[in-house]
PDB file of all heavy atoms in Angstrom:
ATOM      1  N   PRO A   9      82.243  49.386  75.232  1.00 93.00           N
ATOM      2  CA  PRO A   9      80.855  49.062  75.529  1.00 93.00           C
ATOM      3  C   PRO A   9      80.749  47.973  76.611  1.00 93.00           C
ATOM      4  O   PRO A   9      81.441  46.963  76.565  1.00 93.00           O
ATOM      5  CB  PRO A   9      80.301  48.582  74.191  1.00 93.00           C
ATOM      6  CG  PRO A   9      81.478  48.131  73.397  1.00 93.00           C
ATOM      7  CD  PRO A   9      82.669  48.874  73.914  1.00 93.00           C
ATOM      8  N   ILE A  13      83.807  42.129  75.592  1.00 96.00           N
ATOM      9  CA  ILE A  13      85.148  41.704  75.992  1.00 96.00           C
ATOM     10  C   ILE A  13      86.058  42.900  76.255  1.00 96.00           C
ATOM     11  O   ILE A  13      87.019  42.800  77.035  1.00 96.00           O
ATOM     12  CB  ILE A  13      85.769  40.768  74.920  1.00 96.00           C
ATOM     13  CG1 ILE A  13      87.091  40.155  75.381  1.00 96.00           C
ATOM     14  CG2 ILE A  13      85.969  41.498  73.601  1.00 96.00           C
ATOM     15  CD1 ILE A  13      86.988  39.151  76.471  1.00 96.00           C
ATOM     16  N   THR A  17      89.515  43.191  78.445  1.00 98.00           N
ATOM     17  CA  THR A  17      90.781  43.261  77.710  1.00 98.00           C
ATOM     18  C   THR A  17      91.679  44.346  78.291  1.00 98.00           C
ATOM     19  O   THR A  17      92.852  44.099  78.579  1.00 98.00           O
ATOM     20  CB  THR A  17      90.517  43.505  76.215  1.00 98.00           C
ATOM     21  OG1 THR A  17      89.847  42.365  75.689  1.00 98.00           O
ATOM     22  CG2 THR A  17      91.812  43.754  75.459  1.00 98.00           C
ATOM     23  N   LEU A  24      98.799  43.188  83.027  1.00 98.00           N
ATOM     24  CA  LEU A  24      99.961  42.452  82.529  1.00 98.00           C
ATOM     25  C   LEU A  24     101.144  43.388  82.322  1.00 98.00           C
ATOM     26  O   LEU A  24     102.283  43.053  82.676  1.00 98.00           O
ATOM     27  CB  LEU A  24      99.624  41.738  81.215  1.00 98.00           C
ATOM     28  CG  LEU A  24     100.778  40.941  80.607  1.00 98.00           C
ATOM     29  CD1 LEU A  24     101.144  39.739  81.490  1.00 98.00           C
ATOM     30  CD2 LEU A  24     100.438  40.485  79.200  1.00 98.00           C
ATOM     31  N   GLY A  47     106.169  30.092  81.276  1.00 96.00           N
ATOM     32  CA  GLY A  47     105.982  31.538  81.336  1.00 96.00           C
ATOM     33  C   GLY A  47     105.247  32.057  80.126  1.00 96.00           C
ATOM     34  O   GLY A  47     104.315  31.438  79.627  1.00 96.00           O
ATOM     35  N   ILE A  61     109.563  35.007  79.266  1.00 94.00           N
ATOM     36  CA  ILE A  61     109.605  35.686  80.553  1.00 94.00           C
ATOM     37  C   ILE A  61     108.854  34.865  81.590  1.00 94.00           C
ATOM     38  O   ILE A  61     107.815  34.278  81.314  1.00 94.00           O
ATOM     39  CB  ILE A  61     109.050  37.128  80.479  1.00 94.00           C
ATOM     40  CG1 ILE A  61     107.593  37.162  80.058  1.00 94.00           C
ATOM     41  CG2 ILE A  61     109.883  37.978  79.538  1.00 94.00           C
ATOM     42  CD1 ILE A  61     106.956  38.515  80.244  1.00 94.00           C
ATOM     43  N   PRO A  65     102.875  33.563  89.930  1.00 97.00           N
ATOM     44  CA  PRO A  65     101.653  32.740  89.892  1.00 97.00           C
ATOM     45  C   PRO A  65     100.377  33.575  89.768  1.00 97.00           C
ATOM     46  O   PRO A  65      99.454  33.189  89.041  1.00 97.00           O
ATOM     47  CB  PRO A  65     101.700  31.977  91.220  1.00 97.00           C
ATOM     48  CG  PRO A  65     103.154  31.896  91.560  1.00 97.00           C
ATOM     49  CD  PRO A  65     103.748  33.195  91.046  1.00 97.00           C
ATOM     50  N   ARG A  68      99.944  34.620  86.141  1.00 97.00           N
ATOM     51  CA  ARG A  68      99.497  33.463  85.352  1.00 97.00           C
ATOM     52  C   ARG A  68      98.003  33.225  85.574  1.00 97.00           C
ATOM     53  O   ARG A  68      97.251  33.026  84.622  1.00 97.00           O
ATOM     54  CB  ARG A  68     100.287  32.215  85.721  1.00 97.00           C
ATOM     55  CG  ARG A  68      99.726  30.946  85.036  1.00 97.00           C
ATOM     56  CD  ARG A  68     100.563  29.734  85.337  1.00 97.00           C
ATOM     57  NE  ARG A  68     101.803  29.758  84.613  1.00 97.00           N
ATOM     58  CZ  ARG A  68     101.910  29.510  83.300  1.00 97.00           C
ATOM     59  NH1 ARG A  68     100.848  29.238  82.581  1.00 97.00           N
ATOM     60  NH2 ARG A  68     103.078  29.550  82.705  1.00 97.00           N
ATOM     61  N   ASN A  86      93.886  34.560  66.626  1.00 94.00           N
ATOM     62  CA  ASN A  86      94.441  33.943  67.828  1.00 94.00           C
ATOM     63  C   ASN A  86      95.092  34.980  68.747  1.00 94.00           C
ATOM     64  O   ASN A  86      95.808  34.629  69.673  1.00 94.00           O
ATOM     65  CB  ASN A  86      95.470  32.864  67.427  1.00 94.00           C
ATOM     66  CG  ASN A  86      95.783  31.934  68.576  1.00 94.00           C
ATOM     67  OD1 ASN A  86      94.926  31.608  69.387  1.00 94.00           O
ATOM     68  ND2 ASN A  86      97.040  31.508  68.662  1.00 94.00           N
ATOM     69  N   LEU A  88      95.845  37.211  71.744  1.00 97.00           N
ATOM     70  CA  LEU A  88      95.465  37.003  73.141  1.00 97.00           C
ATOM     71  C   LEU A  88      94.468  38.069  73.573  1.00 97.00           C
ATOM     72  O   LEU A  88      93.394  37.773  74.092  1.00 97.00           O
ATOM     73  CB  LEU A  88      96.705  37.017  74.040  1.00 97.00           C
ATOM     74  CG  LEU A  88      96.439  36.922  75.542  1.00 97.00           C
ATOM     75  CD1 LEU A  88      95.706  35.632  75.892  1.00 97.00           C
ATOM     76  CD2 LEU A  88      97.750  37.013  76.324  1.00 97.00           C
ATOM     77  N   ILE A  92      85.896  44.097  70.766  1.00 92.00           N
ATOM     78  CA  ILE A  92      84.645  43.641  70.151  1.00 92.00           C
ATOM     79  C   ILE A  92      84.808  43.333  68.664  1.00 92.00           C
ATOM     80  O   ILE A  92      84.007  42.614  68.096  1.00 92.00           O
ATOM     81  CB  ILE A  92      83.507  44.664  70.360  1.00 92.00           C
ATOM     82  CG1 ILE A  92      83.886  46.024  69.800  1.00 92.00           C
ATOM     83  CG2 ILE A  92      83.136  44.756  71.817  1.00 92.00           C
ATOM     84  CD1 ILE A  92      82.755  47.037  69.806  1.00 92.00           C
ATOM     85  N   ALA A  96      93.170  42.165  68.293  1.00 96.00           N
ATOM     86  CA  ALA A  96      93.862  42.983  69.297  1.00 96.00           C
ATOM     87  C   ALA A  96      93.618  44.461  68.995  1.00 96.00           C
ATOM     88  O   ALA A  96      93.564  44.865  67.827  1.00 96.00           O
ATOM     89  CB  ALA A  96      95.358  42.694  69.278  1.00 96.00           C
ATOM     90  N   LEU A 112      90.529  60.379  84.349  1.00 93.00           N
ATOM     91  CA  LEU A 112      89.355  60.096  85.169  1.00 93.00           C
ATOM     92  C   LEU A 112      89.733  59.886  86.630  1.00 93.00           C
ATOM     93  O   LEU A 112      89.042  60.334  87.540  1.00 93.00           O
ATOM     94  CB  LEU A 112      88.633  58.854  84.622  1.00 93.00           C
ATOM     95  CG  LEU A 112      87.431  58.361  85.399  1.00 93.00           C
ATOM     96  CD1 LEU A 112      86.248  59.291  85.185  1.00 93.00           C
ATOM     97  CD2 LEU A 112      87.074  56.946  84.980  1.00 93.00           C
ATOM     98  N   GLY A 120      97.022  68.183  76.848  1.00 81.00           N
ATOM     99  CA  GLY A 120      98.153  69.084  76.701  1.00 81.00           C
ATOM    100  C   GLY A 120      99.041  69.176  77.926  1.00 81.00           C
ATOM    101  O   GLY A 120     100.099  69.780  77.881  1.00 81.00           O
ATOM    102  N   GLY A 154     120.144  40.226  84.343  1.00 81.00           N
ATOM    103  CA  GLY A 154     118.888  39.489  84.222  1.00 81.00           C
ATOM    104  C   GLY A 154     117.731  40.387  83.819  1.00 81.00           C
ATOM    105  O   GLY A 154     116.912  40.031  82.963  1.00 81.00           O
ATOM    106  N   TYR A 158     115.250  40.199  80.586  1.00 77.00           N
ATOM    107  CA  TYR A 158     113.815  40.107  80.859  1.00 77.00           C
ATOM    108  C   TYR A 158     113.053  41.210  80.125  1.00 77.00           C
ATOM    109  O   TYR A 158     111.998  40.967  79.545  1.00 77.00           O
ATOM    110  CB  TYR A 158     113.572  40.203  82.363  1.00 77.00           C
ATOM    111  CG  TYR A 158     112.145  39.929  82.774  1.00 77.00           C
ATOM    112  CD1 TYR A 158     111.731  38.643  83.102  1.00 77.00           C
ATOM    113  CD2 TYR A 158     111.210  40.947  82.834  1.00 77.00           C
ATOM    114  CE1 TYR A 158     110.423  38.384  83.481  1.00 77.00           C
ATOM    115  CE2 TYR A 158     109.896  40.703  83.205  1.00 77.00           C
ATOM    116  CZ  TYR A 158     109.514  39.413  83.531  1.00 77.00           C
ATOM    117  OH  TYR A 158     108.204  39.170  83.890  1.00 77.00           O
ATOM    118  N   PRO A 175     114.742  58.608  93.537  1.00 71.00           N
ATOM    119  CA  PRO A 175     115.592  59.111  94.618  1.00 71.00           C
ATOM    120  C   PRO A 175     116.221  57.979  95.434  1.00 71.00           C
ATOM    121  O   PRO A 175     117.365  58.098  95.863  1.00 71.00           O
ATOM    122  CB  PRO A 175     114.636  59.934  95.476  1.00 71.00           C
ATOM    123  CG  PRO A 175     113.544  60.330  94.550  1.00 71.00           C
ATOM    124  CD  PRO A 175     113.406  59.183  93.576  1.00 71.00           C
ATOM    125  N   LEU A 178     119.164  56.697  93.386  1.00 69.00           N
ATOM    126  CA  LEU A 178     120.191  57.740  93.315  1.00 69.00           C
ATOM    127  C   LEU A 178     120.916  57.896  94.652  1.00 69.00           C
ATOM    128  O   LEU A 178     122.134  58.085  94.682  1.00 69.00           O
ATOM    129  CB  LEU A 178     119.577  59.075  92.896  1.00 69.00           C
ATOM    130  CG  LEU A 178     119.373  59.265  91.403  1.00 69.00           C
ATOM    131  CD1 LEU A 178     118.647  60.570  91.112  1.00 69.00           C
ATOM    132  CD2 LEU A 178     120.691  59.226  90.664  1.00 69.00           C
TER     133      LEU A 178
END
Side-chain angles (χ1 to χ4, degrees):
I13 188 70
T17 294
L24 180 67
I61 62 168
R68 173 176 286 286
N86 196 35
L88 175 60
I92 57 173
L112 177 74
Y158 188 91
L178 277 175

